[in-house]
């Protein structure tokens, strides 16, 4: 694709410069011709035989078969399970764990029964893709124990 675009730009530049540098006697000069083959690649002959690339030309080969794909995964697959301790803060439907460095928005059934002011140890998996109206970094809770 980039090579084709480059060729198109080169042809356009040559045709524009050819018009500007053309002779004053337009009737005597033959019209300029443009080859679609990149420079250094011989054009096929009129007899229909295939052109043979020059030894200095690079040859591009395409892979055969269907490309391999993998199933998409949640962003949480890239994170490791973490354990942290802090104090529970409840604001409406938002349950948060306030630690020394970060505020975690606790997500999941294990966080549902927590009360404001409790000091707990939480094990869970960060989930940055979780959308919540609560303030903090989402943490899918696996276990909660008193600290």
């Amino acid at each position: 694709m980039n090579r084709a675009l480059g060729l198109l730009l080169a042809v356009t530049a040559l045709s524009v410069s050819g018009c500007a540098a053309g002779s004053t006697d337009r009737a005597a000069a033959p019209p300029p011709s443009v080859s679609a083959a990149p420079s250094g690649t011989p054009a096929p002959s009129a007899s229909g035989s295939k052109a043979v690339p020059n030894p200095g030309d690079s040859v591009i080969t395409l892979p055969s078969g269907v490309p391999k794909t993998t199933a998409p995964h949640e962003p949480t697959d890239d994170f490791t399970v973490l354990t942290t301790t802090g104090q529970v803060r409840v604001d409406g439907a938002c349950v948060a764990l306030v630690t020394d460095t970060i505020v975690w928005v606790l997500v999941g059934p294990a966080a549902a029964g927590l009360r404001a002011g409790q000091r707990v140890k939480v094990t869970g998996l960060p989930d940055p893709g979780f959308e919540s109206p609560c303030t903090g970094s989402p943490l899918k809770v696996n276990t909660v124990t008193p600290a």
Side-chain angles (χ1 to χ4, degrees):
M1 175 77 182
N2 288 338
R3 187 172 182 171
L5 182 59
L7 178 62
L8 179 63
L9 292 173
V11 168
T12 304
L14 286 174
S15 66
V16 170
S17 67
C19 291
S23 71
T24 55
D25 184 12
R26 299 269 182 216
S33 64
V34 177
S35 170
S39 62
T41 304
S45 65
S47 65
S49 64
K50 292 184 178 180
V52 178
N54 293 331
D57 291 347
S58 62
V59 178
I60 298 173
T61 57
L62 298 175
S64 61
V66 178
K68 295 179 182 174
T69 60
T70 59
H73 63 279
E74 291 185 34
T76 56
D77 290 346
D78 298 331
F79 294 98
T80 59
V81 174
L82 64 91
T83 301
T84 187
T85 302
Q87 187 168 5
V88 176
R89 180 177 68 197
V90 178
D91 184 20
C94 300
V95 179
L97 181 70
V98 180
T99 69
D100 294 336
T101 57
I102 192 168
V103 174
W104 293 103
V105 174
L106 303 180
V107 179
L114 295 175
R115 293 181 318 274
Q118 285 181 297
R119 185 148 179 83
V120 293
K121 180 177 171 181
V122 175
T123 301
L125 194 63
D127 186 6
F130 183 79
E131 293 184 22
S132 170
C134 306
T135 303
S137 297
L139 181 70
K140 284 186 178 178
V141 178
N142 294 337
T143 61
V144 177
T145 55

